[in-house]
Amino acid sequence: MEKNLLNNGYFWQKIDSLVLSTNIIISQPKGSHHPKYLNMIYPVDYGYLNDTDSIKVFKGSKKTSKVDAIMIVGDILKRDLEVKLLMGCDEVEEKEILLFINQTDYQKGILVRRGNVIPDWALTDL
């Protein structure tokens, strides 16, 4: 069940549609310091999807309009759980983002990579 859950092609299709319907605003370029925690340096461009409340995006060096993965982040200081999109990130950039997110005791994240399998339970056109 877990493998099928992670590889639901319809989920990724909806995420791609969301990204393609708006612009990405880069608020923190690669190499810039976090505005509140100056010891944290962004490993790739970071921003958000315009016209959304709070969808954050890590944008890597590869040119693509497809979301490669999502990161689910729990933050006990903000008392928050966020989902961040990863676009155009190679394996090295993914690792750097994981290290960036997980460098404090207050915030931890996991990475869910894109798949393209559509499990039987996800089919709606039966």
Side-chain angles (χ1 to χ4, degrees):
M1 172 88 168
E2 181 179 325
K3 182 178 178 186
N4 287 338
L5 179 63
L6 296 177
N7 289 310
N8 183 344
Y10 286 141
F11 170 79
W12 296 103
Q13 187 181 62
K14 299 303 176 205
I15 299 298
D16 286 341
S17 295
L18 183 62
V19 169
L20 289 170
S21 68
T22 189
N23 294 317
I24 298 171
I25 307 298
I26 301 300
S27 56
Q28 298 297 132
K30 177 181 177 175
S32 65
H33 294 270
H34 187 284
K36 191 172 183 180
Y37 305 104
L38 298 179
N39 62 320
M40 295 180 73
I41 299 172
Y42 287 89
V44 298
D45 289 342
Y46 181 75
Y48 58 94
L49 295 182
N50 199 23
D51 300 328
T52 66
D53 289 336
S54 61
I55 300 176
K56 307 294 187 199
V57 178
F58 284 103
K59 191 151 176 36
S61 59
K62 297 188 299 185
K63 303 295 180 208
T64 184
S65 58
K66 188 169 89 169
V67 176
D68 304 309
I70 60 172
M71 181 164 282
I72 303 167
V73 181
D75 188 322
I76 61 171
L77 286 180
K78 293 191 327 187
R79 302 187 56 78
D80 189 23
L81 185 65
E82 289 184 338
V83 176
K84 300 172 187 283
L85 309 180
L86 278 72
M87 296 179 63
C89 298
D90 60 28
E91 288 183 36
V92 171
E93 290 169 330
E94 282 183 358
K95 184 176 179 181
E96 289 173 342
I97 293 166
L98 277 167
L99 292 171
F100 174 78
I101 289 294
N102 287 291
Q103 67 183 295
T104 74
D105 291 334
Y106 308 108
Q107 173 178 273
K108 297 296 176 193
I110 62 169
L111 188 68
V112 179
R113 288 188 177 90
R114 184 186 192 110
N116 58 11
V117 174
I118 301 173
D120 293 341
W121 59 261
L123 296 174
T124 57
D125 295 335
L126 298 177

